Amino acid sequence: DTEVTQTPKHLVMGMTNKKSLKCEQHMGHRAMYWYKQKAKKPPELMFVYSYEKLSINESVPSRFSPECPNSSLLNLHLHALQPEDSALYLCASSPRPFFVTFKETQYFGPGTRLLVL
Amino acid sequence: AQSVTQPDIHITVSEGASLELRCNYSYGATPYLFWYVQSPGQGLQLLLKYFSGDTLVQGIKGFEAEFKRSQSSFNLRKPSVHWSDAAEYFCAVVPMNSGGYQKVTFGTGTKLQVIP
């Protein structure tokens, strides 16, 4: 199984809503990532979890709250989002955090397309 | 400043024609290099990667890329394009000896259109 799954595929939420995005992998990977991709732009890193601990936060606003309950699961909790937060949210995983050192790669999920009204 | 550049925002090729997508980087040392493809509304799929060694790298779906140190380039090629190759292509780099986390930086992407 070399797949990263993400749910839901699409999400529409109001600015006062609370919602969560879910990401799952069963490859035994110990690093997981959240990226944000605006339309016609490249992905931008948001968070990195290394062995279930948050290791990188790329200055993301607190209305985005990541959680890694176990080594297979990564959540992104959303609260009081703004319309400019509408984007494709991509989850990725890699066997280890320093994946290129070991000549490994990241595996990306299909993403959750979020629309904030 | 460190950067990765994809000079072509949009490229149109005829089905069956050859393809070359350009990628240039500006880093002190040769970074690790990747090419990803993203179909509309989809996630990213790794086409190929270069860490070291042979400068001509073979990937999936018939793609290859050549690393040229003298030109700081890692161009993606395919001899004969299929209609299903229409997608967005991203070049990506991870600096060598970056210390701390190995952050992937993506180029701005090249959108490939394939015409019959």
Side-chain angles (χ1 to χ4, degrees), chain A residues 39-81:
Chain A
K40 302 186 188 302
K41 296 289 187 184
E44 294 180 339
L45 181 69
M46 300 175 72
F47 301 104
V48 179
Y49 270 83
S50 173
Y51 298 96
E52 295 87 69
K53 288 187 176 4
L54 181 64
S55 59
I56 298 287
N57 177 340
E58 290 282 316
S59 302
V60 178
S62 58
R63 57 185 183 268
F64 295 90
S65 175
E67 178 197 21
C68 190
N70 58 58
S71 60
S72 300
L73 189 57
L74 184 66
N75 297 320
L76 185 63
H77 303 297
L78 314 172
H79 173 56
L81 294 192

Side-chain angles (χ1 to χ4, degrees), chain A residues 33 35 37 40-43 45 48 56 58 88 90 97-101 103-106 108-111 113, chain B residues 32 34 36 38 40-46 49 51-52 90 94-95 99-104 106-109 111:
Chain A
Y33 313 79
Y35 286 84
Q37 186 179 21
K40 302 186 188 302
K41 296 289 187 184
L45 181 69
V48 179
I56 298 287
E58 290 282 316
L88 181 68
L90 294 164
F98 294 91
F99 57 94
V100 291
T101 302
K103 298 190 177 182
E104 297 164 347
T105 56
Q106 289 181 316
F108 282 83
R113 189 161 297 280
Chain B
Y32 302 106
F34 306 83
Y36 286 90
Q38 186 176 33
Q42 300 297 312
L44 297 167
Q45 182 180 24
L46 180 69
K49 59 194 177 189
F51 292 131
S52 63
F90 291 98
V94 175
Y101 166 66
Q102 293 174 332
K103 180 178 177 178
V104 180
F106 291 88
T108 50
K111 186 170 184 178

